[in-house]
């Protein structure tokens, strides 16, 4: 039987895992604006300790054993012809090409702040992007973090623990942060923040100028629409969740009102059974939870089933966010379940068991040494 051609558009966290799972079953081509996996996870760890973060989260594609059979192209997607079934790509060298597909998987993710951008980058540019915000935060005597999600909470905690002498304040609009998590998660994390010396300021909603996305660290005073006095710091980190789907290369007929890719419960695009979407770009549910619930395995299984006409499985979204919130800390890693209860990996287990065996071998099927 002729091997099918699968194009994975986007090789971020979810795209890489999907490509690895399909590599033995199809001719897989991946397209990425980066020359390796640059994870969008663990913002606080990335800002506070970028070298440690990069060891586990910025990995050139050639180091993944599971991608040895995958043709990874460094370029940006510029369009798709749904009738002819090919995608248009502008490569890093400036040339263009069209790639035919039997199955297209859209995993292009979202833009969110300066840490998740779809811009074409070299390895040197990625390293500079990691270093610049860290250096600016290191030089600041005071930092304001605006936002109530995991990125904001993680950033405030990691900045405070990395630079204990720095004044760090977290401002969020609701009575508590982490509203998409179980309340028990926030109760635990709030204690961690307080112990780290982070000032907590509930009920603060920032005034945002039209078009402001928070894609840069700023230094101007922050005004509040909720009536509190203006707040100032040497550096202001905006983690306000203004995500924009990276779907400008797709026709509007595939997208919902917010620009995310519409999908069925089987993660197929309605009217185009040969097109699938997964991760933050897929409109699976309000939390777009297929990015964090191992939906890559279900999707890969559905793609294989589509080759033979077998029944496809349905994705069932999680009702709450779960997982790590603060990232690895000196005393280990806390992973919160959907019920808000935490399981702790000691620091030694993170370095000697979790990352090398469970993540790099168990999940990624082997990552070569640096």
């Amino acid at each position: 039987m002729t091997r099918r051609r699968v194009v994975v558009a986007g090789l971020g966290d979810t795209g890489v895992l999907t490509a690895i799972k399909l590599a033995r079953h199809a001719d897989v081509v991946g397209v990425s604006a980066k020359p390796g996996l640059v994870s969008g996870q663990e913002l606080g760890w990335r800002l506070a300790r970028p070298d440690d973060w990069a060891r586990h989260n910025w990995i050139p594609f050639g180091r993944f054993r599971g991608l040895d059979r995958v043709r990874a192209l460094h370029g940006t997607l510029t369009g798709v012809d749904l009738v002819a079934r090919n995608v248009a790509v502008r490569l890093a060298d400036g040339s263009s090409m069209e790639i035919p597909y039997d199955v297209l998987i859209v995993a292009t993710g979202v833009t969110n702040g300066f840490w998740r951008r779809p811009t074409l980058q070299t390895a040197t540019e990625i390293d500079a992007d990691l270093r610049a915000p860290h250096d600016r935060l290191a030089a600041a005597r005071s930092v304001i973090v605006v936002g109530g999600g995991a990125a904001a909470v993680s950033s405030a905690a990691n900045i405070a623990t990395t630079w204990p002498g720095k004044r760090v304040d977290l401002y969020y609009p609701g009575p508590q942060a982490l509203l998409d998590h179980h309340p028990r998660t926030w109760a635990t994390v709030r204690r961690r923040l307080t112990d780290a010396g982070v000032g907590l300021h509930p009920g603060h909603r920032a005034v945002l100028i039209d078009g402001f996305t928070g894609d840069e660290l700023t230094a101007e005073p922050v005004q509040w629409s909720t009536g509190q006095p203006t707040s100032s710091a040497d550096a202001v980190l905006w983690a306000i969740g203004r995500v924009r789907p990276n779907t400008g290369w797709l026709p509007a007929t595939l997208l919902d009102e917010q620009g995310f890719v519409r999908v069925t419960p089987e993660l197929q695009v309605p009217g185009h059974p040969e097109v699938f979407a997964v991760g933050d770009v897929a409109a699976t549910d309000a939390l777009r939870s297929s990015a964090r619930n191992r939906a890559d395995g279900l999707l890969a299984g559905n793609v294989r089933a589509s080759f033979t006409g077998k029944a496809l499985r349905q994705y069932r979204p999680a009702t709450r966010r779960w997982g790590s919130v603060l990232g690895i800390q000196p005393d280990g890693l806390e992973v919160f379940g959907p019920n808000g209860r935490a399981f702790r990996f000691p620091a030694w287990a993170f370095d000697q068991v979790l990352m090398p065996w469970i993540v790099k071998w168990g999940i990624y099927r082997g990552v070569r040494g640096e």
Side-chain angles (χ1 to χ4, degrees):
M1 179 183 295
T2 303
R3 282 170 68 86
R4 307 297 180 92
R5 167 70 64 83
V6 176
V7 171
V8 181
L11 291 175
D13 293 295
T14 308
V16 164
L17 290 170
T18 303
I20 287 173
K21 288 179 172 62
L22 287 170
R24 292 189 297 108
H25 306 278
D27 175 14
V28 180
V29 179
V31 181
S32 172
K34 319 298 181 188
L37 171 63
V38 182
S39 177
Q41 305 302 312
E42 305 288 7
L43 176 61
W45 185 14
R46 169 177 168 154
L47 291 172
R49 304 186 304 281
D51 293 335
D52 289 341
W53 180 91
R55 283 195 300 114
H56 301 296
N57 294 284
W58 157 210
I59 305 172
F61 293 132
R63 290 181 54 200
F64 289 98
R65 297 180 187 274
L67 292 180
D68 286 349
R69 302 184 186 186
V70 174
R71 182 185 177 197
L73 298 177
H74 187 196
T76 54
L77 294 141
T78 58
V80 59
D81 186 329
L82 296 170
V83 176
R85 295 192 183 183
N86 61 61
V87 294
V89 180
R90 183 178 297 112
L91 298 173
D93 63 7
S95 63
S96 298
M97 66 182 300
E98 292 183 346
I99 310 169
Y101 64 81
D102 296 300
V103 170
L104 172 63
I105 297 172
V106 180
T108 43
V110 295
T111 296
N112 185 15
F114 55 81
W115 57 96
R116 297 180 74 183
R117 292 174 174 169
T119 50
L120 188 73
Q121 287 184 303
T122 64
T124 299
E125 290 168 335
I126 292 169
D127 291 339
D129 261 7
L130 291 177
R131 179 57 54 182
H134 168 82
D135 290 346
R136 181 166 177 186
L137 290 171
R141 293 168 298 177
S142 56
V143 177
I144 284 174
V145 181
V146 183
V153 169
S154 169
S155 297
N158 280 278
I159 292 168
T161 54
T162 300
W163 296 290
K166 206 180 298 293
R167 192 190 87 224
V168 181
D169 290 282
L170 175 65
Y171 293 83
Y172 44 96
Q176 64 184 51
L178 300 180
L179 293 178
D180 292 332
H181 292 70
H182 193 283
R184 193 179 287 120
T185 301
W186 170 239
T188 300
V189 171
R190 181 179 57 202
R191 291 195 296 271
R192 304 279 185 267
L193 292 166
T194 302
D195 291 345
V198 176
L200 302 180
H201 306 273
H204 285 67
R205 187 175 295 277
V207 175
L208 303 176
I209 301 172
D210 287 345
F212 178 75
T213 58
D215 284 355
E216 302 289 346
L217 291 170
T218 61
E220 292 76 21
V222 182
Q223 296 182 326
W224 309 106
S225 64
T226 38
Q228 296 90 346
T230 298
S231 304
S232 300
D234 293 336
V236 180
L237 170 63
W238 300 86
I240 51 179
R242 289 204 163 185
V243 301
R244 287 96 69 200
N246 298 325
T247 53
W249 60 285
L250 291 171
T253 54
L254 304 188
L255 311 177
D256 68 8
E257 295 79 3
Q258 289 76 43
F260 296 91
V261 181
R262 293 183 294 113
V263 291
T264 68
E266 292 79 17
L267 302 180
Q268 288 175 301
V269 174
H272 296 277
E274 76 285 354
V275 182
F276 295 76
V278 69
D280 285 314
V281 76
T284 51
D285 58 290
L287 299 180
R288 296 184 303 280
S289 61
S290 70
R292 284 159 290 275
N293 289 282
R294 302 307 307 277
D296 52 280
L298 181 144
L299 173 59
N302 281 353
V303 170
R304 296 197 302 270
S306 73
F307 294 161
T308 57
K310 293 182 179 179
L312 276 58
R313 295 168 55 206
Q314 293 189 350
Y315 173 69
R316 292 178 173 78
T319 57
R320 295 186 186 274
R321 293 201 188 278
W322 62 278
S324 166
V325 174
L326 302 182
I328 182 65
Q329 299 294 305
D331 60 350
L333 176 72
E334 271 187 322
V335 177
F336 294 90
N339 62 1
R341 300 193 184 279
F343 176 81
R344 176 178 293 278
F345 291 90
W348 68 265
F350 177 85
D351 290 324
Q352 298 178 34
V353 179
L354 179 63
M355 293 308 299
W357 295 108
I358 297 177
V359 175
K360 292 184 177 179
W361 274 108
I363 296 178
Y364 287 116
R365 300 185 181 175
V367 178
R368 298 180 179 91
E370 300 176 26

